[in-house]
Amino acid sequence: MAAEAGRDPRAWLAVDETAAAFLSRLLSSRPPITLPPPLHRSPLRPGNVVEIAGPSNSGKSHLLLMAAVQCILPKEWEGIYFGGLGRAVMYLDLDCRFDVLRLAQILRNRIAEGCRSAHLRNGDPENDGTKDEFQCSLENTLFSDCMQRFLYARCCNSPEFISALKTVKSQSRREVSSAGIYFVMIDRHSIGAFYWIDRGSQPARENKGRTLQSITESVVHELRKLLQLQPALVLVTKAPIYGEGTTTANDFNRVSSKYILADSTGLGYSRQEEERTLSNREYMPSIWQSFVTHRINLQVEEAEVPSVLESEVLPVHTSEWVQPYLKTKGKFSIMDDGVSLIQ
Amino acid sequence: MAAAGGGGGGGGRATTSGCGLKRRYAPHDQEEETMNQDQSSKEDWCGRLWNGMDLLKDVTENKHVLPTGLEGIDTLLGGGLRQGQLTEVTGPSSSGKTQVCLHSASHAAVKHMGVVMYLDTSNSFSPSRIATIIDGTNDLSDQRGFDLPHKERLKTMMRSIVCKSVFDIFGMFEVLHQLEVSLLNDKVKSGGRKICLLIVDSISSLLAPIIGGKYPQGTTLKPPSPPHRLYPGISRGRSMMISVAMILKKLAYKHNLSVLVTNHMVSAGNGAVKPALGESWKAVPHVRLVISREHGSNICTATVLKHTLLASGRTAKFVVPS
């Protein structure tokens, strides 16, 4: 290239494409995606890596399922508008906690809702909730179409994860005949799992070469390769890790903060928040941190185990975009078939 | 299995792979071994990409629900213990956790659902109690519907409950490994009764001693010699806990087992109690139940802490017959 430039420097300065052309090309090949709330506040495009962090039971896997359903539903089908993307989703389950029945439930509810609203719009007074055979078979076809677009793989340890990433492209081409993967979801709630196992293996065998650093490097490398070939939106869940010594400290904090709560509620609350942010310390190696482009934190309002919870009151979850930083925190609660925003 | 030492299971042969694998980090002298291991994991791995409809089919066909025999709990769980999932029952001491385990075991035996493996860590397994529970159930017919004399029935049912004692985490690893090997071998020959339920009572007494803050880097808990070659890379408390969890879940999923574990409660400061084993364990089970018992009564209350399908927070009362 340098030799060519030597011959004709002016060729170097020739315009490749104008900004308008660049933008239009980008928008067509990587269009912005709107995810269901609370992920909708930040514009996302394929090629972005979103990290959803939060303690256990804060709704991270639920968000992934919602986004998956959004992706596999078609935009429009038989005249009914669903607003989905109609593309394939690759779900890598590092946690082995995925329940396909839950996905099926959410999908069926969405399809039923869509069909119902379409009928209402068409003004069908005869269809008062009872579905006929044709309707059922229609819904079933759509359901199976959508489920075919959902690809799932489970990995039990880091080497499996890495080999899964390597073979995803070739395997998916066999399964999905259409455009290919659009979302990659990695459910690593207990990334802590691999973290501890890999950290544990560190001093045991020095020559093994499988340190946490190297594993993360290869994971990031594989993901980048995958994204180059197939631009996709990557959603990753992450749970905070509590260091070996900090659990007792946290307990102390919690105890003392409760006592302070009795005196002045303001101070107590801020102490609790502070302790929460303390526990969210970043434990992934820097190569992973630089790979992630967006971050969102989820929390549940109630911290303890409720012994008796009324059926009407649903726990409130908060979401907070850390990167890019948004000042407002969203509040939502999880229903059977989706997420409802509160505010 | 990639984790079980070297190229154990099916990866001994060196095969050429379609996409040229490049190892970024392994030093050259290790390349051979890691290449083989990686290929073996890829071999294990090929064909494991499921799509949604396949998953659904597998769940509806292979993974049944095992009722526990206690009505309140069954309604809470949506039918019972689902195969392929790990259910945790937690509660303060003498709240009925062991009773739940014994009931599930007996119920599985009575209904001829398969072999039950009971891993007992605190000598709480009581054959006489099982016999009482089995005697208490009404429907006692043989698998083929024949009517056997009472003693014979009891014998065959109790024979399908296998009880093993484990007293520390390394013993647990051994037992699980043996189970895994025997299950893999069983896949080849057909017939025989397959294991359907695995109960660990209680898993927290195995794990709690090793995950506390008292085991820093230089752990004083020495693994038995020779060093654990079955699951390499395990030398830290919390990683052992997560490894056990992953092994249990993998067993549950691959061999259609339902896994039931019990946990105890610890104090959470200011008089409240919370389940033991900390935050890292919270993510492990699919379903978590908390049970409690009023003092001196038979009626226990169960609450759902977490469930993959149904809403959490629902309660139900159930009676433990004495």
Side-chain angles (χ1 to χ4, degrees):
Chain A
M1 179 112 158
E4 288 171 8
R7 271 182 248 131
D8 187 8
R10 245 170 254 162
W12 240 15
L13 298 172
V15 169
D16 277 341
E17 59 179 352
T18 63
F22 178 36
L23 195 61
S24 65
R25 176 171 64 89
L26 199 66
L27 283 177
S28 61
S29 67
R30 299 191 183 203
I33 308 170
T34 327
L35 287 178
L39 296 167
H40 64 297
R41 294 215 176 218
S42 233
L44 294 169
R45 289 186 301 113
N48 285 344
V49 180
V50 183
E51 188 184 69
I52 305 173
S56 158
N57 210 22
S58 52
K60 305 187 294 287
S61 311
H62 186 83
L63 279 190
L64 284 190
L65 284 183
M66 296 296 303
V69 164
Q70 170 90 359
C71 180
I72 57 181
L73 279 177
K75 185 141 187 182
E76 194 169 345
W77 192 78
E78 302 275 339
I80 310 171
Y81 179 74
F82 284 108
L85 296 166
R87 308 289 285 266
V89 167
M90 172 85 213
Y91 192 101
L92 291 164
D93 192 7
L94 267 60
D95 223 15
C96 307
R97 264 218 344 194
F98 174 71
D99 193 358
V100 68
L101 295 177
R102 178 86 178 123
L103 174 73
Q105 196 182 45
I106 298 180
L107 187 59
R108 272 198 219 273
N109 285 343
R110 276 289 291 267
I111 293 179
E113 198 187 307
C115 292
R116 216 180 314 134
S117 61
H119 273 141
L120 284 175
R121 235 179 297 128
N122 291 348
D124 265 349
E126 301 95 53
N127 272 9
D128 50 347
T130 55
K131 289 187 284 190
D132 52 348
E133 285 268 335
F134 181 61
Q135 176 84 358
C136 279
S137 67
L138 220 61
E139 285 187 7
N140 284 342
T141 345
L142 177 61
F143 179 76
S144 60
D145 269 348
C146 291
M147 290 297 263
Q148 300 273 359
R149 284 196 277 262
F150 182 85
L151 299 174
Y152 172 82
R154 58 166 56 203
C155 316
C156 292
N157 45 36
S158 317
E160 273 191 30
F161 182 39
I162 296 177
S163 40
L165 286 176
K166 284 185 176 141
T167 58
V168 140
K169 182 79 179 127
S170 48
Q171 291 212 12
S172 65
R173 207 178 284 137
R174 270 188 272 140
E175 303 268 338
V176 177
S177 51
S178 69
I181 300 174
Y182 209 60
F183 276 14
V184 177
M185 305 187 156
I186 305 179
D187 197 1
R188 347 156 74 169
H189 184 122
S190 25
I191 178 58
F194 300 166
Y195 172 72
W196 289 108
I197 296 180
D198 296 333
R199 215 177 90 156
S201 71
Q202 220 168 353
R205 291 141 188 247
E206 303 88 330
N207 296 339
K208 201 89 156 100
R210 285 182 196 268
T211 61
L212 178 65
Q213 184 75 23
S214 53
I215 297 235
T216 323
E217 272 176 26
S218 38
V219 166
V220 169
H221 179 68
E222 293 302 326
L223 278 175
R224 270 200 228 272
K225 259 190 356 196
L226 191 66
L227 290 180
Q228 264 177 355
L229 296 173
Q230 173 85 54
L233 178 67
V234 181
L235 298 168
V236 185
T237 61
K238 187 178 90 148
I241 275 209
Y242 301 89
E244 289 196 27
T246 58
T247 26
T248 43
N250 268 349
D251 283 325
F252 278 134
N253 271 345
R254 221 172 282 141
V255 170
S256 54
S257 70
K258 285 242 177 35
Y259 287 128
I260 293 184
L261 253 169
D263 301 335
S264 57
T265 40
L267 191 60
Y269 187 65
S270 65
R271 179 78 74 93
Q272 251 183 349
E273 264 201 4
E274 191 185 284
E275 135 204 322
R276 273 204 209 131
T277 45
L278 265 182
S279 59
N280 280 350
R281 67 183 177 89
E282 189 61 60
Y283 55 87
M284 296 300 290
S286 58
I287 189 169
W288 176 260
Q289 296 184 36
S290 50
F291 180 56
V292 170
T293 58
H294 289 72
R295 279 197 184 87
I296 181 169
N297 274 347
L298 300 180
Q299 294 278 356
V300 195
E301 292 281 89
E302 287 123 324
E304 271 91 34
V305 170
S307 48
V308 176
L309 194 69
E310 287 102 314
S311 49
E312 303 91 27
V313 175
L314 291 169
V316 173
H317 304 253
T318 59
S319 70
E320 180 190 346
W321 275 103
V322 174
Q323 180 185 353
Y325 187 65
L326 290 177
K327 283 224 178 81
T328 52
K329 291 195 187 187
K331 288 201 191 175
F332 64 98
S333 68
I334 295 182
M335 328 269 281
D336 257 346
D337 55 349
V339 157
S340 70
L341 272 183
I342 304 176
Q343 246 165 0
Chain B
M1 240 187 51
R13 47 210 163 109
T15 50
T16 55
S17 62
C19 38
L21 296 177
K22 271 209 213 125
R23 311 290 296 177
R24 255 184 106 228
Y25 55 85
H28 273 282
D29 52 344
Q30 294 291 329
E31 191 141 24
E32 197 80 348
E33 186 203 294
T34 47
M35 179 79 89
N36 275 342
Q37 200 169 40
D38 184 58
Q39 283 191 349
S40 79
S41 57
K42 208 167 76 70
E43 293 289 316
D44 276 344
W45 224 81
C46 275
R48 287 248 187 109
L49 201 68
W50 306 72
N51 79 33
M53 290 308 286
D54 292 341
L55 280 177
L56 259 187
K57 210 168 70 132
D58 174 59
V59 166
T60 43
E61 281 174 19
N62 294 339
K63 304 223 174 355
H64 310 289
V65 167
L66 304 176
T68 57
L70 296 163
E71 258 191 54
I73 293 205
D74 284 341
T75 23
L76 271 192
L77 292 175
L81 305 167
R82 178 176 284 284
Q83 287 179 334
Q85 286 195 344
L86 195 129
T87 312
E88 175 195 343
V89 170
T90 179
S93 49
S94 97
S95 53
K97 306 189 294 282
T98 311
Q99 296 302 318
V100 170
C101 295
L102 293 174
H103 269 269
S104 322
S106 341
H107 199 83
V110 164
K111 300 285 179 196
H112 306 287
M113 291 190 268
V115 172
V116 176
M117 179 152 219
Y118 197 104
L119 297 181
D120 187 13
T121 64
S122 42
N123 285 333
S124 54
F125 182 76
S126 140
S128 51
R129 179 88 182 117
I130 297 250
T132 326
I133 299 176
I134 292 183
D135 278 340
T137 56
N138 304 331
D139 162 37
L140 287 178
S141 59
D142 187 17
Q143 198 165 9
R144 282 156 294 171
F146 297 146
D147 233 9
L148 286 183
H150 179 79
K151 266 192 150 173
E152 277 302 310
R153 263 182 267 159
L154 197 56
K155 257 200 197 170
T156 41
M157 284 175 199
M158 296 206 40
R159 225 177 267 144
S160 54
I161 304 180
V162 176
C163 179
K164 280 197 158 76
S165 287
V166 280
F167 296 115
D168 62 17
I169 188 74
F170 300 106
M172 174 81 155
F173 278 128
E174 288 280 345
V175 169
L176 289 179
H177 184 75
Q178 280 170 15
L179 180 62
E180 213 171 339
V181 165
S182 71
L183 279 173
L184 283 174
N185 288 341
D186 268 345
K187 268 199 189 295
V188 178
K189 51 175 193 221
S190 60
R193 313 250 308 275
K194 277 209 71 175
I195 175 171
C196 65
L197 176 60
L198 172 67
I199 303 180
V200 184
D201 180 21
S202 62
I203 205 167
S204 53
S205 57
L206 292 180
L207 296 174
I210 54 173
I211 62 171
K214 308 187 200 81
Y215 286 91
Q217 298 289 77
T219 176
T220 54
L221 182 70
K222 278 215 158 352
S225 57
H228 231 264
R229 57 198 163 38
L230 296 174
Y231 300 110
I234 300 171
S235 54
R236 301 288 174 271
R238 205 161 305 186
S239 63
M240 282 198 248
M241 173 171 87
I242 302 283
S243 311
V244 164
M246 296 301 271
I247 295 169
L248 286 174
K249 286 202 270 197
K250 194 166 165 182
L251 277 176
Y253 190 77
K254 260 170 81 169
H255 304 283
N256 301 329
L257 297 183
S258 172
V259 183
L260 174 66
V261 301
T262 59
N263 193 1
H264 64 281
M265 297 282 230
V266 289
S267 82
N270 214 15
V273 285
K274 58 173 185 170
L277 298 180
E279 293 289 323
S280 327
W281 177 259
K282 273 190 181 174
V284 165
H286 292 100
V287 178
R288 299 182 85 199
L289 291 180
V290 177
I291 62 179
S292 59
R293 186 157 74 108
E294 292 109 42
H295 188 66
S297 87
N298 265 350
I299 306 178
C300 309
T301 323
T303 319
V304 176
L305 268 187
K306 185 157 81 106
H307 199 286
T308 48
L309 264 190
L310 313 164
S312 49
R314 296 166 310 134
T315 18
K317 288 204 190 297
F318 64 97
V319 176
V320 176
S322 51

